[in-house]
Amino acid sequence: DTAVSQTPKYLVTQMGNDKSIKCEQNLGHDTMYWYKQDSKKFLKIMFSYNNKELIINETVPNRFSPKSPDKAHLNLHINSLELGDSAVYFCASSHGTSGGFTDTQYFGPGTRLTVL
Amino acid sequence: RKEVEQDPGPFNVPEGATVAFNCTYSNSASQSFFWYRQDCRKEPKLLMSVYSSGNEDGRFTAQLNRASQYISLLIRDSKLSDSATYLCVVTNNAGNMLTFGGGTRLMVKP
């Protein structure tokens, strides 16, 4: 049973395209996150949602729009893709009922995005 | 100064060796501290939380030094399977922001 799943695992696309990455967790957690890990391996928080509500939006360009249809799903839509968007995107979830980060974060397997 | 700094390594050690990593953080009001492990091309997974009094989990010992603003991870009797990148993770004072260090790569060799 996969706790946090993401699709697709690999995404190769042209500059200027619009793409979406889906994330689902079956852990019953209240909080979900999107992280970006760049080529230098730094992992940075992008967004945090608690019970479908946006908690954190960390200076991410508005080309990135997260959508949470329910608390088990947090999808990431990216408009007008740029070369610099190439990275691995990780979805994660935690139990945290208030959007806090002190609970263990469970990460999905990642989506490797390559923009050509 | 980066918020969370780690020596990127790699640390190359033989099986059975003891190895230690340090991590420094800049926010003196940071609330919580963790070590995560990330295998090559995999997702990060929690290794252990770090408590003020220090804590141990099998071969792994974590220490926190608030005065000097660093945390450490000690691995005893290294196994080949310990080869991975170890990420130092720190929350802010409110506990609602998580900052990852760049990771320290460990390679355990036969």
Side-chain angles (χ1 to χ4, degrees):
Chain A
D1 287 342
T2 304
V4 182
S5 59
Q6 294 179 229
T7 53
K9 192 167 182 180
Y10 298 95
L11 186 53
V12 180
T13 188
Q14 300 284 336
M15 265 197 319
N17 284 349
D18 303 337
K19 291 292 178 186
S20 292
I21 307 172
K22 295 185 177 181
C23 178
E24 177 181 1
Q25 54 95 3
N26 62 7
L27 297 167
H29 288 166
D30 289 319
T31 308
M32 295 185 72
Y33 315 82
W34 276 107
Y35 288 87
K36 177 180 180 181
Q37 189 169 41
D38 60 25
S39 57
K40 294 184 179 178
K41 306 301 182 188
F42 280 94
L43 199 64
K44 291 185 180 176
I45 182 73
M46 299 174 69
F47 302 101
S48 163
Y49 267 71
N50 178 260
N51 266 320
K52 302 193 297 176
E53 290 192 17
L54 179 66
I55 303 295
I56 299 249
N57 178 344
E58 265 302 291
T59 59
V60 178
N62 57 15
R63 297 183 296 106
F64 291 79
S65 52
K67 286 187 171 54
S68 183
D70 54 62
K71 75 173 193 177
H73 294 84
L74 181 62
N75 303 323
L76 183 65
H77 187 76
I78 315 171
N79 288 328
S80 303
L81 278 155
E82 301 177 356
L83 293 176
D85 297 333
S86 295
V88 181
Y89 292 83
F90 287 101
C91 177
S93 73
S94 70
H95 179 70
T97 54
S98 59
F101 281 73
T102 53
D103 297 315
T104 301
Q105 306 242 324
Y106 293 84
F107 285 82
T111 295
R112 188 172 294 273
L113 171 65
T114 303
V115 182
L116 303 174
Chain B
R1 181 184 175 186
K2 290 179 186 164
E3 290 183 64
V4 180
E5 287 202 74
Q6 296 181 249
D7 182 339
F11 284 55
N12 294 299
V13 303
E15 267 186 296
T18 294
V19 61
F21 312 133
N22 281 340
C23 162
T24 58
Y25 60 94
S26 60
N27 182 359
S28 60
S30 292
Q31 188 183 80
S32 302
F33 308 88
F34 310 90
W35 283 102
Y36 276 71
R37 170 193 168 132
Q38 186 172 23
D39 292 296
C40 188
R41 302 180 79 87
K42 297 285 188 182
E43 71 273 20
K45 292 183 180 178
L46 179 68
L47 178 66
M48 58 197 303
S49 301
V50 186
Y51 303 119
S52 297
S53 54
N55 49 297
E56 190 173 305
D57 182 1
R59 298 181 292 107
F60 298 83
T61 301
Q63 298 264 344
L64 167 62
N65 185 320
R66 283 191 184 271
S68 301
Q69 294 179 215
Y70 77 83
I71 68 174
S72 64
L73 178 67
L74 181 79
I75 306 175
R76 289 181 299 277
D77 189 22
S78 299
K79 311 288 185 193
L80 294 177
S81 57
D82 293 334
S83 298
T85 296
Y86 291 83
L87 303 168
C88 173
V89 187
V90 175
T91 66
N92 63 352
N93 47 319
N96 61 2
M97 181 62 63
L98 206 63
T99 301
F100 282 76
T104 297
R105 189 169 170 210
L106 171 66
M107 297 179 70
V108 181
K109 301 196 182 283

